[in-house]
Amino acid sequence: MWAWVIIIRNIPLVAAASKGQQPFPNIPFSVFSKFVEDNFASTVSLSTVLMLLFTITENTDLFSLHFFQRSGEHGSKKSPPATGWIRNLGTAVKRRLDENQAELLSEDDVDAHSSEQKSSIAIGIKMDALAVVLGLHPFNKAGKFKGKLKAVSHKQIQAVYSLCPNTATCQTMDCNKKALYQNTKPADLGLVTFIKDFTVYDDVPVYSGLCKQCGTIYYADHERSSGGQQHERVYLNSAKYIKIGQNMWVD
């Protein structure tokens, strides 16, 4: 009961959080790909690039501080590209890279004898440049500071969720792990509200799976087997999601 009180109280906060945000950067993928190719090691992994991208989009406050210091406006002394803000963020990113034994910089940026500080500065400058490419810099065309960057909305890149059985094979002993076939007709496809990690997703499809050998139908939270003229419904303790009411599922 208390879990639902927490969910209900937090849903408005999730909705409110989307106000006052800017859209996720919508640059052509070719531009992003070329930046990665020109600025990072040829062996850089997808996970490392995505980590760097989301580090930028999740730290707009820090980038506002960094870019304003760089601008030298309002009597401030104009700063070189590697402000203390971006150097510290570069240090945090380098720490993550070291933990994951991941590679980011090329040999043109650093070598085996480069200091920790030089590596952190190099990473920070790369993030500065990538933020500009992404359009996450608070300057107008005349180079004037427009104001603090807004938080970045990640709604455009949210995954498309589906609710389906969490087993890939039939669990009936006699079936010997037969495959499950998609059993939901397009006309019967249900679109529901799905709450995951206190975030609300609308129009999420719900699918069922059918074992053609024994006739058992599997759902996201239960299975239904045929026993003579009656159907037996068994709810699963291993279910990742549960159904609440007619059109709502939660994790």
Side-chain angles (χ1 to χ4, degrees):
M1 178 65 182
W2 283 110
W4 284 108
V5 172
I6 294 173
I7 289 175
I8 293 171
R9 291 181 64 182
N10 277 274
I11 289 175
L13 297 180
V14 174
S18 63
K19 297 179 180 179
Q21 295 181 328
Q22 60 179 314
F24 194 85
N26 196 30
I27 64 172
F29 181 76
S30 58
V31 174
F32 181 75
S33 176
K34 188 174 189 311
F35 181 91
V36 172
E37 185 177 350
D38 292 345
N39 288 274
F40 301 138
S42 60
T43 55
V44 66
S45 66
L46 174 62
S47 59
T48 297
V49 172
L50 291 178
M51 180 272 290
L52 199 70
L53 171 62
F54 291 124
T55 296
I56 294 172
T57 61
E58 293 286 5
N59 284 282
T60 51
D61 286 345
L62 185 145
F63 276 90
S64 293
L65 292 161
H66 162 68
F67 280 119
F68 185 74
Q69 183 179 337
R70 279 197 60 188
S71 71
E73 291 190 21
H74 301 285
S76 300
K77 183 179 178 181
K78 192 169 184 178
S79 171
T83 66
W85 300 108
I86 206 69
R87 286 201 306 270
N88 286 341
L89 188 58
T91 299
V93 169
K94 186 180 186 307
R95 188 181 307 117
R96 173 70 66 82
L97 294 172
D98 291 343
E99 289 174 357
N100 297 336
Q101 297 183 333
E103 194 171 4
L104 176 66
L105 299 175
S106 67
E107 293 180 355
D108 293 334
D109 299 311
V110 293
D111 55 37
H113 304 291
S114 296
S115 65
E116 294 282 318
Q117 183 180 29
K118 182 178 179 180
S119 298
S120 297
I121 290 174
I123 293 171
I125 291 175
K126 298 289 186 183
M127 287 192 290
D128 171 287
L130 180 54
V132 172
V133 170
L134 295 170
L136 295 177
H137 59 94
F139 298 110
N140 59 23
K141 293 182 179 180
K144 295 295 184 181
F145 187 79
K146 297 184 297 184
K148 181 178 176 294
L149 288 169
K150 293 181 179 179
V152 174
S153 170
H154 291 77
K155 185 175 179 61
Q156 290 172 287
I157 60 169
Q158 284 179 348
V160 176
Y161 286 97
S162 63
L163 299 172
C164 58
N166 69 345
T167 177
T169 61
C170 182
Q171 300 300 296
T172 304
M173 293 290 292
D174 294 339
C175 289
N176 193 26
K177 296 188 179 298
K178 295 293 184 182
L180 300 181
Y181 291 80
Q182 205 289 115
N183 189 51
T184 306
K185 298 178 181 178
D188 298 330
L189 182 65
L191 298 176
V192 301
T193 298
F194 178 44
I195 302 175
K196 180 179 174 63
D197 297 330
F198 299 116
T199 301
V200 180
Y201 302 92
D202 295 318
D203 298 329
V204 175
V206 180
Y207 303 107
S208 62
L210 170 68
C211 175
K212 292 187 176 181
Q213 179 162 313
C214 69
T216 299
I217 301 176
Y218 290 81
Y219 300 86
D221 65 340
H222 71 277
E223 60 186 59
R224 189 181 72 175
S225 58
S226 177
Q229 295 182 344
Q230 294 184 336
H231 294 285
E232 182 181 1
R233 177 177 293 193
V234 179
Y235 285 90
L236 307 174
N237 291 329
S238 60
K240 295 167 60 178
Y241 313 116
I242 59 173
K243 184 179 181 181
I244 304 296
Q246 291 296 316
N247 295 298
M248 181 178 292
W249 290 70
V250 298
D251 64 350

